[in-house]
């Protein structure tokens, strides 16, 4: 009932707005001219024409006659005297005449200018002798915010003005007689178009936008909504769009087409679909692709695929369960088989074969062998200068001695040193040799040291690398700058103009005026210059000290890093170049050949880092002695190895002695006609 009452009120309000309407007529006075300051009867104003206006708005008339101002009237205060402009003044507000009915589209307007002898105009003054001028117009005017400009001229006056008619808020149409007020409540959800028509807010529809738009897809038969985007299901329906029926509350394994049904799924029976007729289909107990067979009364059997077992075929048959790998080998399952990963010292499909032990004498360079894992493996204690699992790697002594300025490290007789590039010296080639120490520049030239060379800045009149050449005389080459003149009396000299100085007039001279106490100031200047030079020298010394300390700190840190690397290298000796499986000796013959010919070994000295710099003669003698010692040591190794393998005729081990310093020692397996393996080692 209340809704109907509200709807009736809304309809009545809409009808009333069609009749009443609401708008505003505005008149804006811009400029009034009364150049002679006269009244309408020709009399002058005393002292001047203080002017105010009367406005009368009425219905359209042809011609305009005096009478009641049907649409409204207004009287302004005194706006000025004689000629004046209203724009920009505090009194320039437009004259507003409100409407309580529809705008007819045409009007008549009377504008009268009056003289006021008082401060404010007398509202009841109708004395025609006080009138200055009167204008009457009739116009057609459409509703809008744009102003219409107009000018009215009389015998002695002129008036410029503009006018317009606009609708009040919530009023629309050509006559401002259509009312539309936006709202968003239970009675409507809309805004207003420029023509006053209702425009529903998003999610609403209907004549007054009072009906919500439900969720897209919501069933009209089984769903509804009370606000936009909603879908409320009626009893017996469910789902996002209210298209799914609700089955009976106690229905376990059934479906429905209409509310409260219970249609059993396949394999289920009973009034509420709670009796199991197919255990395999409902529970799927068999795993890993097995086949399930119903045996009745909720029982079943599983037929497993190859590689699986168990009641539900949940257990996988594993080949490694039987521990086929021997000697603690690690078993890895494959698709249809397995593989064994053997511990060091064993090999074979099942790790059944043992590899080298200390009895096979696997350690080179006189290393000591120690048994491990109850004799199934071994480790070698290498002599100084060698590393690796079998002492086959030679330690590079130059790895921790960085040479500066392009120097290279060499090892001479077990001592490492740096071979420096020309122009550098020092333990690590860190000192730049002063090439200017011998004063190579002649004739007063200045020497400039470079990394491996020097350059000379020659005095005026001299040239050449060492300033040994006399330059061309003044008349052939202009030697002077900044307008200086050259003199050839003896060596060429420059006579500098005022304001310049220097051998070639290249410096700008500054002359200071001599003031009282100039001598004292000159002494003070020399003292200040000396103090500045001393401070600069002290700063240079501190910088050099900081560089030296930083270099020492870096060297110490590099040596510590090398020591840690050498300690850690012993832990990685197993990662060598010779797998132990390749050292198995199964030949029936063994001959140990050691090639110790110094002529066949290309011995090349390389730059290594030393703790001191050896003299040239000492280096040459050491080089020859080093070759001799290498040769003798190789012969000794050959004799020892011959004795070592004389009792084992299975393999022939060929050792090639090379005095070349190498980080690694290569071991070769050399095959003979009837032998299975031959071990050869190149040092």
């Amino acid at each position: 009932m209340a809704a109907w009452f509200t709807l009736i009120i809304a309809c009545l309000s809409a009808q009333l707005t069609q009749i009443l309407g609401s708008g505003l007529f505005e008149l804006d006075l811009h400029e009034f001219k009364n150049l002679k300051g006269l009244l309408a009867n020709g009399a002058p104003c005393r002292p001047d024409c203080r002017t105010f206006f009367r406005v009368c708005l009425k219905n359209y008339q042809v011609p305009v006659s005096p009478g009641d101002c049907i649409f409204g009237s207004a009287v302004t205060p005194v706006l000025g005297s004689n000629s004046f402009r209203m724009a920009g003044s505090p009194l320039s507000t437009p004259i507003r005449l409100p409407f309580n009915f529809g705008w007819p589209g045409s009007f008549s307007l009377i504008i009268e200018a009056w003289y006021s002898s008082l401060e404010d105009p007398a509202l009841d003054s109708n004395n025609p002798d006080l009138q200055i001028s009167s204008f009457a117009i009739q116009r057609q005017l459409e509703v809008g915010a744009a102003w219409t400009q107009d000018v009215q001229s009389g015998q002695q006056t002129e008036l410029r003005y503009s006018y317009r008619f606009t609708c009040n808020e919530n009023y629309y149409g050509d006559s401002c007689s259509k009312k539309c007020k936006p709202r968003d409540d239970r009675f409507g959800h809309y805004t207003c178009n420029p023509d006053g028509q209702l425009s529903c807010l998003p999610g609403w529809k209907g004549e007054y936008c009072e009906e919500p738009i439900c969720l897209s897809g919501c069933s009209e038969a089984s769903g509804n909504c009370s606000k936009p985007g909603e879908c409320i299901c009626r009893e017996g329906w469910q789902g996002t769009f209210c298209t799914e029926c609700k089955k009976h509350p106690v229905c376990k394994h059934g479906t429905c087409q209409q509310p409260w049904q219970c249609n059993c799924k396949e394999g289920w029976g009973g009034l509420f679909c709670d009796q199991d007729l197919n255990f395999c289909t409902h529970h799927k107990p068999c795993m890993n692709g097995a086949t399930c067979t119903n045996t009745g009364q909720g029982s079943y059997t599983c037929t497993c695929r190859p590689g699986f077992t168990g009641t539900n075929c949940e257990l996988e048959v594993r080949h490694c369960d039987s521990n086929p790998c021997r000697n603690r080998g690690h078993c890895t399952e494959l698709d249809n088989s397995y593989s064994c990963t053997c511990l060091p010292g064993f090999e074979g499909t099942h790790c059944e074969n043992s590899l080298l032990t200390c009895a096979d004498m696997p350690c080179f360079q006189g290393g000591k062998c120690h048994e491990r894992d109850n004799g199934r493996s071994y480790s070698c204690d290498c002599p100084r200068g060698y590393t690796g699992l079998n002492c086959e790697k030679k330690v590079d002594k130059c790895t921790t001695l960085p040479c500066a300025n392009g120097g290279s490290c060499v090892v001479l007789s077990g001592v490492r040193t740096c071979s420096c590039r020309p122009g550098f010296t020092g333990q690590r080639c860190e000192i730049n040799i002063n090439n200017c120490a011998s004063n190579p520049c002649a004739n007063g030239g200045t020497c400039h040291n470079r990394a491996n060379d020097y350059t000379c800045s020659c005095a005026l009149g001299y040239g050449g690398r060492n300033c040994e050449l006399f330059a061309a005389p003044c008349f052939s080459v202009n030697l002077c700058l900044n307008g200086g003149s050259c003199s050839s009396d003896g060596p060429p000299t420059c006579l500098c103009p005022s304001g310049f100085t220097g051998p070639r007039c290249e410096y700008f001279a500054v002359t200071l005026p001599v003031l009282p106490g100039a001598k004292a100031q000159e002494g003070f200047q020399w003292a200040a210059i000396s103090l500045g030079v001393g401070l600069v020298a002290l700063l240079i010394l501190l910088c050099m000290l900081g560089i030296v300390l930083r270099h020492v700190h870096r060297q110490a840190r590099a040596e510590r890093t090398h020591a840690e690397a050498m300690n850690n290298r012993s832990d990685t000796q197993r990662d060598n170049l010779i797998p132990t499986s390749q050292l198995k000796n199964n030949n029936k013959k063994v001959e140990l050949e050691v090639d110790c010919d110094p002529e066949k070994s290309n011995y090349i000295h390389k730059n290594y880092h030393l703790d001191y710099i050896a003299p040239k003669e000492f280096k040459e003698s050491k080089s020859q002695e080093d070759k001799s010692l290498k040769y003798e040591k190789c012969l000794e190794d050959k004799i020892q190895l011959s004795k070592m393998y004389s009792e084992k005729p299975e393999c022939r081990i060929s050792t090639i002695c090379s005095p070349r310093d190498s980080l690694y020692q290569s071991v070769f397996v050399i095959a003979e006609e009837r032998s299975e393996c031959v071990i050869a080692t190149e040092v």
Side-chain angles (χ1 to χ4, degrees), residues 380-587:
C380 294
D381 290 341
C382 301
R384 185 177 181 181
Y386 294 91
T387 185
L389 180 62
N390 301 94
C391 306
E392 76 280 2
K393 299 177 184 179
K394 190 171 183 179
V395 178
D396 185 5
K397 296 182 179 180
C398 279
T399 56
T400 59
L401 182 63
C403 298
N405 297 311
S408 57
C409 178
V410 297
V411 178
L412 299 176
S413 300
V415 181
R416 57 185 181 177
T417 184
C418 283
S419 177
C420 302
R421 293 171 53 205
F424 297 93
T425 185
Q427 183 178 359
R428 291 178 173 81
C429 306
E430 73 277 8
I431 301 175
N432 184 9
I433 299 175
N434 187 6
N435 298 291
C436 292
S438 60
N439 297 322
C441 301
N443 298 311
T446 302
C447 183
H448 302 282
N449 185 38
R450 297 289 184 268
N452 296 317
D453 200 0
Y454 67 91
T455 58
C456 292
S457 297
C458 301
L460 186 66
Y462 292 93
R465 171 173 172 78
N466 298 320
C467 304
E468 73 278 7
L469 302 177
F470 185 79
C474 292
F475 60 85
S476 60
V477 178
N478 186 14
L479 302 176
C480 302
L481 303 175
N482 298 314
S485 59
C486 182
S487 175
S488 299
D489 297 337
T493 59
C494 287
L495 302 178
C496 299
S498 177
F500 295 93
T501 185
R504 300 182 62 191
C505 304
E506 69 271 24
Y507 300 119
F508 182 72
V510 179
T511 303
L512 298 177
V514 180
L515 301 175
K519 293 184 178 181
Q521 292 180 359
E522 182 178 0
F524 174 78
Q525 291 176 356
W526 281 107
I529 293 173
S530 301
L531 179 60
V533 172
L535 291 176
V536 171
L538 178 60
L539 180 60
I540 294 174
L541 290 176
L542 291 176
C543 293
M544 293 177 64
L545 179 60
I547 293 173
V548 171
L549 292 176
R550 182 179 180 184
H551 180 73
V552 172
H553 175 69
R554 287 185 175 179
Q555 180 181 359
R557 183 171 62 184
E559 292 178 357
R560 287 197 302 270
T561 304
H562 175 65
E564 292 175 0
M566 293 298 294
N567 292 334
N568 295 332
R569 186 177 296 176
S570 62
D571 296 334
T572 60
Q573 289 181 354
R574 292 183 181 271
D575 301 326
N576 53 70
L577 299 176
I578 310 175
T580 55
S581 60
Q582 298 180 8
L583 297 179
K584 187 68 178 180
N585 190 350
N586 294 325
N587 290 341

Side-chain angles (χ1 to χ4, degrees), residues 12 49 142 159 187 202 205 251 320 338 341 392 481 494 506 581 615:
L12 291 176
C49 293
E142 295 181 355
L159 176 64
F187 304 114
K205 63 180 180 178
C251 184
C320 289
Y338 65 93
T341 303
E392 76 280 2
L481 303 175
C494 287
E506 69 271 24
S581 60

Side-chain angles (χ1 to χ4, degrees), residues 196-219:
Q197 298 296 327
L198 302 185
S199 176
C200 295
L201 295 176
W204 297 93
K205 63 180 180 178
E207 183 179 359
Y208 296 99
C209 306
E210 74 282 0
E211 300 177 16
I213 299 176
C214 298
L215 178 66
S216 178
C218 184
S219 174

Side-chain angles (χ1 to χ4, degrees), residues 284-344:
K284 295 181 174 55
C286 300
M287 303 170 62
N288 297 309
T291 303
C292 181
T293 304
N294 290 303
T295 57
Q297 302 299 325
S299 61
Y300 64 96
T301 58
C302 293
T303 304
C304 302
R305 295 175 57 196
F308 298 93
T309 186
T311 303
N312 297 324
C313 303
E314 73 278 8
L315 301 176
E316 183 179 3
V317 178
R318 299 175 59 86
H319 299 87
C320 289
D321 292 341
S322 60
N323 296 322
C325 302
R326 301 171 58 186
N327 297 312
R328 295 186 295 171
H330 177 70
C331 183
T332 303
E333 288 285 345
L334 302 178
D335 292 337
N336 297 317
S337 182
Y338 65 93
S339 65
C340 292
T341 303
C342 304
L343 293 175

Side-chain angles (χ1 to χ4, degrees), residues 117-157:
S117 59
L118 303 176
E119 188 69 21
D120 293 319
L123 298 180
D124 58 346
S125 175
N126 292 315
N127 187 357
D129 295 333
L130 299 179
Q131 190 177 50
I132 299 175
S133 62
S134 177
F135 306 104
I137 62 172
Q138 60 276 99
R139 297 285 190 271
Q140 298 288 335
L141 179 62
E142 295 181 355
V143 175
W147 291 87
T148 300
Q149 306 289 333
D150 200 359
V151 178
Q152 294 295 327
S153 300
Q155 184 176 1
Q156 58 190 16
T157 60

